[in-house]
Amino acid sequence: MTFSIPEASPAGATGTAYTLTLSCPDLPGIVHAVSGALVSAGGNIIESAQFGSPETGSFFMRVDFRSPQSYEEVHAGLAATAEAFNMTWDLYHAGRRTRTLIMASKSGHCLNDLLFQQRAGTLPIDIPAIVSNHRDLESLADFYGVPFHHLPVTADTKDQAEGRLRALMAELDIELVVLARYMQILSDGLCAELSGRAINIHHSFLPSFKGARPYHQAHARGVKLIGATAHYVTADLDEGPIIEQEVIRVDHARSATELAALGSDVEGRALSKAVRWHAQHRVLLDGRRTIVFN
C-alpha cells in the first residue's frame, strides 16, 4: 500500500527532509504509533508506503517526512516506538547521495549508463571509484573523470585482490557496490560482508541461460522474450534477492548479435532502476525476497 501527499510549497516546506525505513512483526497499531512519533517530532509526512507480508508475518514501512528537529532529536524520538514493536529500522537524511563503487570487466554498456545518469543527476549516487580486473574501460572512466583502479584477479591472487578491494572501500567510505557486468565471482566471505549493499546485473530472467554467451543460448532455443535481472549479491551465485527485472519481446528474425544488443539496453535499464531504488532506500529485505516501494 502506498500513498503520497503533495509536497508543500516552498513557503511551507520547513525543516529537514528525512526518510524512515522499518520492518518488524506485523501487529496492530504500528502505523498509528509511527505517525504519532513523527507528529511529536513536528514531522510533516510527504510520502508513506507500507506492506504486511502474509507469508512471513512481517510488516514493512517507508516514510518521507520533514521535521524542524535535528537528526539526533528525531532518532531519539523514534527509538521508543521502535523498541516497543521490535523494529529493525533506519533513519536517513533524504536526498543524501550514496557513495557507490562500480566494478566492471570488459563490457562497458552498464557502466556507461550508470556514469551518464549520475552525471545527469538522475541517479542519487556519488561514484568515487571504478574497479576492474581489465584495463579496457579505463578510457571510459577517464572521460567521466572517475578514478580507475586496475585490480587483476587470478586464482592465485584472488585473496590479495579482494584485500585491496576491502581497503579501497574503507578508504573511500563506500556504501554500495555495483557489479556492472563484472565477470568475476566474489568470495563467500566478501559476499557476506556486502550483504544487502552489493547489486549485480544478470543477463537473463534467472535462472535461465547462465554462463557464457547467454544470448546465443537464447537464440538457439528460439526465445520470444529476453530480459535481465538486477539482484543483491549473495554467496549463492545469481540467486540473491531480486530487485528488478526487465524484458523485451523478440522473434525468429533476430540474430544472436541483435539479441545481445537489445539485451544490453535491457540490462542497463534494470540495473539503473535497482541502483536508484536502493539509493533512495526503497528496497527492504524480506528473507530471500525484496519489498520495493517504487
Side-chain angles (χ1 to χ4, degrees):
M1 176 180 178
T2 305
F3 66 88
S4 296
I5 302 172
E7 191 163 359
S9 64
T14 59
T16 302
Y18 299 102
T19 297
L20 169 68
T21 64
L22 64 90
S23 62
C24 62
D26 196 354
L27 297 170
I30 299 172
V31 175
H32 180 269
V34 171
S35 299
L38 294 180
V39 168
S40 296
N44 177 36
I45 294 176
I46 307 302
E47 178 181 326
S48 180
Q50 60 256 4
F51 173 72
S53 172
E55 288 82 12
T56 63
S58 297
F59 179 82
F60 303 85
M61 189 173 187
R62 178 187 182 279
V63 185
D64 283 332
F65 66 98
R66 288 184 177 273
S67 171
Q69 293 187 356
S70 69
Y71 177 93
E72 291 75 17
E73 290 171 326
V74 175
H75 194 279
L78 289 166
T81 299
E83 183 177 0
F85 287 93
N86 194 26
M87 293 177 180
T88 298
W89 64 293
D90 287 292
L91 180 68
Y92 305 94
H93 283 285
R96 179 182 172 275
R97 299 160 74 89
T98 300
R99 293 183 63 78
T100 303
L101 183 145
I102 304 178
M103 303 182 71
S105 290
K106 293 186 176 182
S107 298
H109 55 281
C110 287
L111 174 61
N112 183 67
D113 190 58
L114 294 171
L115 291 169
F116 177 82
Q117 291 199 47
Q118 190 274 339
R119 175 174 286 187
T122 57
L123 277 183
I125 61 174
D126 286 327
I127 306 173
I130 294 167
V131 169
S132 180
N133 55 324
H134 299 280
R135 290 196 176 275
D136 300 57
L137 301 176
E138 188 168 8
S139 60
L140 180 61
D142 290 342
F143 176 80
Y144 282 97
V146 178
F148 181 88
H149 299 265
H150 180 222
L151 293 182
V153 181
T154 67
D156 295 332
T157 64
K158 188 179 184 69
D159 289 344
Q160 179 184 358
E162 289 196 348
R164 293 173 60 191
L165 177 62
R166 287 183 176 94
L168 183 64
M169 289 190 294
E171 176 188 342
L172 298 177
D173 194 23
I174 295 300
E175 300 167 292
L176 174 66
V177 174
V178 179
L179 307 184
R181 296 303 304 273
Y182 180 67
M183 307 307 289
Q184 287 286 328
I185 298 173
L186 303 183
S187 68
D188 290 358
L190 185 55
C191 288
E193 292 172 33
L194 293 173
S195 178
R197 58 189 189 100
I199 297 174
N200 186 32
I201 186 67
H202 191 277
H203 40 223
S204 75
F205 264 164
L206 295 177
S208 301
F209 306 118
K210 292 185 177 181
R213 296 165 66 85
Y215 295 108
H216 289 77
Q217 296 180 51
H219 181 261
R221 293 287 298 275
V223 300
K224 305 305 182 233
L225 291 172
I226 60 173
T229 301
H231 63 92
Y232 283 119
V233 174
T234 65
D236 296 320
L237 182 62
D238 294 329
E239 294 186 14
I242 293 170
I243 304 171
E244 174 63 346
Q245 294 181 295
E246 288 273 333
V247 295
I248 187 170
R249 181 166 289 279
V250 296
D251 60 27
H252 61 276
R254 297 288 189 180
S255 68
T257 300
E258 289 175 318
L259 292 190
L262 292 169
S264 294
D265 292 337
V266 174
E267 291 167 17
R269 290 201 301 272
L271 183 59
S272 62
K273 285 182 180 179
V275 171
R276 179 179 300 108
W277 295 336
H278 176 95
Q280 292 175 338
H281 315 295
R282 295 184 178 275
V283 186
L284 283 74
L285 286 170
D286 184 18
R288 298 182 65 183
R289 302 172 66 241
T290 58
I291 309 301
V292 184
F293 292 125
N294 58 4

